Amino acid sequence: MKSLLLFSLVLFTTSMASIYDFKMNALDGTPVDFSQYKGKNLLIVNVASKCGSTPQYADLQKLHEQFGGKVTILGFPANNFGAQEPGSNQEIAQFCEKNYGVTFQMLEKISVKGDDVHPLYKLLKDQTGKEPTWNFCKYLIKADGSVKFFATNVNPLDKQIVEEINKCDF
């Protein structure tokens, strides 16, 4: 009975997690406390350097430059789909800077689905009912806490995303 109560408490606490509770590292190892994003709109994207959708990095950068005051972009390298992100965090950072001039926040490489899914992506799946089906899937988390999922084929500058960002309170 005691272990059942403890399990229920852990399950309840875990399900109440917020994106703002996470602490992770940037590609360079610098700690990033997600509490700094509370009250802001976020676009979370699982990225990969050797994918047919990799040119979306350029459009993510344009979105960051055009709408950085309305939405914070967080890129998460992941090697879950076709082993298309084999590099180390340092190699990924160099690739992004050299090829796309990325200045938006890139975080450490994680798993976005499967048995070893990072708790952040488990939370996003729990909130939307959707998990990444390929690289460059996007989650728009609005300051009000609502979350919207966009598949790989929705470009970061697509009307659907831009309109949602423009509707965001900030």
Side-chain angles (χ1 to χ4, degrees):
M1 179 72 172
K2 187 176 181 181
S3 56
L4 179 60
L5 182 60
L6 181 60
F7 174 76
S8 297
L9 182 60
V10 168
L11 186 61
F12 177 75
T13 305
T14 303
S15 67
M16 296 301 290
S18 162
I19 191 164
Y20 309 112
D21 296 332
F22 286 92
K23 293 178 182 161
M24 299 176 69
N25 290 328
L27 286 177
D28 66 3
T30 305
V32 177
D33 186 340
F34 282 38
S35 66
Q36 71 180 308
Y37 302 125
K38 195 164 191 160
K40 296 181 180 180
N41 304 299
L42 303 173
L43 186 67
I44 293 180
V45 187
N46 62 299
V47 296
S49 301
K50 298 189 182 303
C51 175
S53 298
T54 299
Q56 285 192 28
Y57 268 124
D59 292 329
L60 286 166
Q61 181 61 32
K62 286 178 190 170
L63 190 73
H64 170 67
E65 291 167 5
Q66 292 175 9
F67 294 95
K70 289 187 175 187
V71 66
T72 300
I73 299 171
L74 303 176
F76 289 89
N79 199 34
N80 294 95
F81 304 102
Q84 295 179 349
E85 188 52 271
S88 67
N89 287 336
Q90 183 180 8
E91 290 167 334
I92 295 164
Q94 290 170 348
F95 172 86
C96 290
E97 184 178 340
K98 177 183 174 189
N99 294 293
Y100 296 101
V102 168
T103 59
F104 58 86
Q105 181 67 69
M106 291 286 294
L107 291 111
E108 64 190 352
K109 190 164 139 180
I110 62 170
S111 178
V112 298
K113 81 180 276 182
D115 293 338
D116 62 343
V117 65
H118 190 279
L120 171 65
Y121 269 80
K122 181 178 180 339
L123 176 67
L124 292 169
K125 179 184 176 190
D126 290 348
Q127 290 179 337
T128 62
K130 298 179 186 250
E131 68 181 353
T133 52
W134 200 252
N135 302 307
F136 291 89
C137 287
K138 300 145 199 81
Y139 293 90
L140 179 62
I141 298 101
K142 295 184 182 181
D144 67 7
S146 63
V147 184
K148 186 157 183 148
F149 176 84
F150 298 93
T152 300
N153 65 343
V154 179
N155 184 281
L157 295 172
D158 187 278
K159 179 179 171 183
Q160 295 174 64
I161 293 177
V162 172
E163 284 180 356
E164 285 295 325
I165 291 170
N166 281 326
K167 287 190 233 175
C168 290
D169 295 326
F170 63 99

